[in-house]
Amino acid sequence: MLGVVNVTPDSFSDGGVNYEPANAVASARRMHAEGAALVDVGGESTRPGAEAVSADEELRRVVPVLEALRDEVPVSIDTSKAVVARRALELGAALVNDVTALRGDAGLAAVVAESDAYLCLMHMQGEPRTMQADPRYDDVVSEVAAFLEQRLGAAVAAGIAEERICLDPGIGFGKTVEHNFELIRRLGELTSLGRPIVVGISRKSSLGKLLGDPAATTGSVAASVGAAVAAYERGATILRVHDVREHVEALAAARAVLA
Ligand code: HH2
């Protein structure tokens, strides 16, 4: 379980809640205590329509949080920027979560390669500002699988050990509701790439839309848990979630049934 702590004023579901460093630190500690193996700290929202922030601003947001959590709560850093990743790794981050899959900052691959950190490569069609305008695929699952395989190859070619890399279909990143659910339904086509699969559907708007609100920008915790359990059953290894306790409890029950 990967807990989500967005140190941002504008994230789609927890925006503002963890913008104060003290709140972010408290949330991370709570998520760790509730069973999150890692807490994903981010200083830039990637929600649909979000504007990019500068590296200085991103550092200003995340560094105090990482300093406070150091040696206490295992963290990943949700960033596409090499300077932010480097500082986070110096402060003990164990994983770099890059939603651009090493296509954003040409310096990021070397920063990860020089460390012993893990790396998450995520699929996105387009860029956050415009990605939900009109996402189209011939076959979303095979296109996402081909992309992830290609980015995995690029990361390995840049010197990052394959054993350290996990892959993520990028739920909500340039995808319709149907694309998102099809990716989870056919997750086996992604697990067959041979790397652990991360799924982040927690509170995402597809869940709210599924439940009948076409203008939804978020989804409920209950709907998140239902989708997460289904993703787990289909082979997801890491679930990126805002509500750690609820997901840990649901997975304990699912595991007991499936064991
Ligand atoms: N989703 C978000 C951000 N980072 N990283 C991975 N690997 N997978 C995801 O699905 C993913 C991600 C968006 O969610 P959130 O962080 O809650 O919101 P925001 O981008 O608005 O800060």
Side-chain angles (χ1 to χ4, degrees), residues 5-149:
V5 172
N6 290 309
V7 195
T8 58
D10 57 343
S11 288
F12 76 94
S13 82
D14 64 344
V17 174
N18 291 315
Y19 190 38
E20 281 294 319
N23 293 344
V25 170
S27 294
R29 287 190 176 128
R30 175 178 42 78
M31 289 179 190
H32 182 50
E34 290 173 349
L38 281 174
V39 175
D40 195 29
V41 177
E44 176 178 38
S45 172
T46 48
R47 76 181 195 289
E51 296 288 344
V53 302
S54 70
D56 282 350
E57 176 61 15
E58 213 179 307
L59 285 164
R60 190 191 65 75
R61 293 177 182 180
V62 300
V63 165
V65 178
L66 298 173
E67 282 173 346
L69 296 175
R70 189 174 196 171
D71 299 327
E72 189 192 326
V73 175
V75 299
S76 73
I77 179 72
D78 189 351
T79 192
S80 303
K81 298 188 181 76
V83 289
V84 177
R86 182 180 293 114
R87 188 77 190 105
L89 293 171
E90 284 166 9
L91 292 170
L95 180 146
V96 175
N97 176 24
D98 176 18
V99 298
T100 74
L102 301 182
R103 296 174 301 157
D105 183 334
L108 183 57
V111 170
V112 179
E114 285 158 17
S115 75
D116 57 3
Y118 290 85
L119 172 68
C120 179
L121 298 171
M122 195 196 79
H123 176 271
M124 167 168 22
Q125 184 183 86
E127 40 126 9
R129 216 166 35 78
T130 52
M131 65 191 176
Q132 290 306 107
D134 185 22
R136 283 168 195 253
Y137 301 84
D138 288 330
D139 176 15
V140 67
V141 183
S142 56
E143 286 173 49
V144 167
F147 171 89
L148 292 175
E149 191 170 24

